[in-house]
């Protein structure tokens, strides 16, 4: 086996090992049965509301990616793009082997359309980056509502326009062709993250949890930032590990820790549920090309 094939084969194994290690650490701190009990007591109405807003977030995210594609000179229908996006979600979570969801989208579009591979790669990367920027802005925007030092509050507010300005300058200098959609894609990113923020909030409501919700949402956003980096299996373990670390730092009591881990696991289960429907297009690529 050559080096390239070895790396491709080793990546999913490494992700599984890291996810397992993170989850082992999490449940060495908290009783798994207690977390399951919290999830089992969830109000189905709020869970379905969380599921709805997660789906909305993914629809907006698909439109954002298509905005970047159009800027790169690729014109595909919204329907085609949504199907491709769902297939990519399925690959990211259920087939984390030789090809991930983003890589497959680039491969398929490059094979079926006249567009440079480089432009597709940059579009996909910038799609991720704008998502990260929206997360950072939301975190800074919510910090003033936490019981922290006033200088931290002031600093977080000041960092919002600075972060946006730095991102704009980077796009303007290095990715000139995408400058015209900077405002639109960042508004779309904000829509994505606000929808997922509501997803997390509704999950908390389903657990009948009403205390420290803003703090929990901030930690959830931080965990989303961590989960973006592909070193775990679809983010499994990354969110929960973040909640435990921050919870230990803030000296959460045990019920709060259980609620935090239940939030992370429930969000992951919702992600798995929605992503699984991408299997429709995995077994029938003709369906993805229709419409």
């Amino acid at each position: 086996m050559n080096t390239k094939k070895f790396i491709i084969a080793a990546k999913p194994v490494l992700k599984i090992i890291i996810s397992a290690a993170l989850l082992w650490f999490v449940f060495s701190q908290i009783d798994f049965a207690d977390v399951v009990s919290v999830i089992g007591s969830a109000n189905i109405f709020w869970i379905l509301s969380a599921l709805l807003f997660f789906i909305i977030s993914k629809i907006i995210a698909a439109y954002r990616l298509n905005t970047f594609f159009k800027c790169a000179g690729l014109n595909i229908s919204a329907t085609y793009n949504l199907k491709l996006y769902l297939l990519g979600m399925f690959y990211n979570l259920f087939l984390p082997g030789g090809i991930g969801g983003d890589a497959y989208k680039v491969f398929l579009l490059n094979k079926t359309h006249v567009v440079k591979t480089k432009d597709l790669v940059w579009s996909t990367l910038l799609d991720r980056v704008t998502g990260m920027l929206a997360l950072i802005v939301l975190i800074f925007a919510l910090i003033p509502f936490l019981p922290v030092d006033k200088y931290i509050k002031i600093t977080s507010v000041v960092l919002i326009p600075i972060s946006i300005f730095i991102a704009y300058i980077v796009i303007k200098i290095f990715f000139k062709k995408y400058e015209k959609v900077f405002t639109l894609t960042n508004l779309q990113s904000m829509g994505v993250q606000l929808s997922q923020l509501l997803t997390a909030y509704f999950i908390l409501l389903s657990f009948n949890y009403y205390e420290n919700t803003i703090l929990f949402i901030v930690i959830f956003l931080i965990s989303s930032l961590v989960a973006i980096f592909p070193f775990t299996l679809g983010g499994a373990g990354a969110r929960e590990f973040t909640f435990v670390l921050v919870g230990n730092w803030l000296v959460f009591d045990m019920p709060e820790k259980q609620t935090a881990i239940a939030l992370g696991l429930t969000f992951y289960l919702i992600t798995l549920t929605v992503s699984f429907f991408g299997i429709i297009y995995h077994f029938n690529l003709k369906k993805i090309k229709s419409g």
Side-chain angles (χ1 to χ4, degrees):
M1 181 182 294
N2 61 36
T3 304
K4 185 177 180 180
K5 288 183 177 180
F6 175 78
I7 292 173
I8 290 174
K11 279 173 62 178
V13 175
L14 185 60
K15 286 184 178 183
I16 292 171
I17 291 172
I18 293 174
S19 287
L22 292 178
L23 288 171
W24 174 84
F25 173 79
V26 167
F27 291 112
S28 68
Q29 307 279 311
I30 296 169
D31 193 317
F32 179 72
D34 291 335
V35 175
V36 171
S37 177
V38 173
I39 296 174
S41 67
N43 181 301
I44 190 64
F45 171 78
W46 290 119
I47 289 294
L48 290 176
S49 299
L51 176 63
L52 173 63
F53 274 88
F54 179 80
I55 292 171
I56 290 171
S57 77
K58 290 304 175 182
I59 292 172
I60 299 172
Y63 273 88
R64 179 187 64 197
L65 180 58
N66 206 15
T67 301
F68 280 114
F69 282 157
K70 287 179 180 179
C71 233
L74 173 65
N75 291 303
I76 57 176
S77 70
T79 304
Y80 179 98
N81 183 61
L82 279 168
K83 292 176 181 179
L84 189 60
Y85 196 90
L86 184 59
L87 179 63
M89 289 175 62
F90 173 75
Y91 279 6
N92 279 333
L93 285 174
F94 294 97
L95 296 175
I99 187 164
D102 289 341
Y104 182 76
K105 282 182 283 190
V106 170
F107 166 77
L108 182 62
L109 290 170
N110 183 251
K111 184 179 178 181
T112 56
H113 296 77
V114 182
V115 61
K116 294 179 180 179
T117 303
K118 180 183 70 174
D119 289 336
L120 292 174
V121 171
W122 283 125
S123 295
T124 304
L125 178 61
L126 290 173
D127 178 69
R128 292 288 186 108
V129 171
T130 55
M132 291 176 64
L133 177 62
L135 278 171
I136 292 168
V137 168
L138 275 176
I139 291 169
F140 287 151
L142 289 174
I143 285 176
F145 297 97
L146 299 177
V148 295
D149 187 88
K150 67 177 182 179
Y151 294 108
I152 295 177
K153 294 180 179 182
I154 293 171
T155 301
S156 68
V157 172
V158 171
L159 285 173
I160 293 174
I162 292 176
S163 301
I164 296 171
F165 178 74
I166 291 173
Y168 175 74
I169 292 301
V170 170
I171 294 293
K172 186 177 179 64
I173 294 174
F174 298 104
F175 308 99
K176 184 72 175 177
K177 72 164 63 176
Y178 298 100
E179 181 186 356
K180 60 184 177 183
V181 296
F182 179 83
T183 301
L184 175 59
T185 52
N186 278 283
L187 287 174
Q188 290 169 329
S189 291
M190 192 57 67
V192 171
Q193 302 306 337
L194 285 172
S195 297
Q196 294 204 1
L197 184 154
L198 287 171
T199 299
Y201 179 65
F202 290 143
I203 292 172
L204 288 174
L205 291 184
S206 78
F207 300 151
N208 201 32
Y209 184 85
Y210 303 96
E211 301 175 14
N212 297 324
T213 51
I214 294 180
L215 177 58
F216 268 61
I217 292 300
V218 170
I219 300 172
F220 170 79
L221 293 173
I222 294 171
S223 73
S224 297
L225 205 55
V226 174
I228 287 176
F229 298 97
F231 57 82
T232 61
L233 191 63
R239 293 181 186 278
E240 295 77 13
F241 180 73
T242 304
F243 273 110
V244 167
L245 281 188
V246 177
N248 288 341
W249 176 51
L250 296 175
V251 197
F252 276 179
D253 58 27
M254 190 53 68
E256 284 184 313
K257 285 185 179 180
Q258 292 165 0
T259 301
I261 301 309
L263 168 59
L265 284 176
T266 304
F267 186 88
Y268 185 70
L269 290 173
I270 288 175
T271 305
L272 281 177
T273 301
V274 175
S275 300
F276 182 74
F277 284 92
I279 198 172
I280 297 168
Y281 306 117
H282 171 66
F283 287 112
N284 192 346
L285 283 177
K286 290 182 179 179
K287 282 183 177 291
I288 203 172
K289 293 175 182 178
S290 64

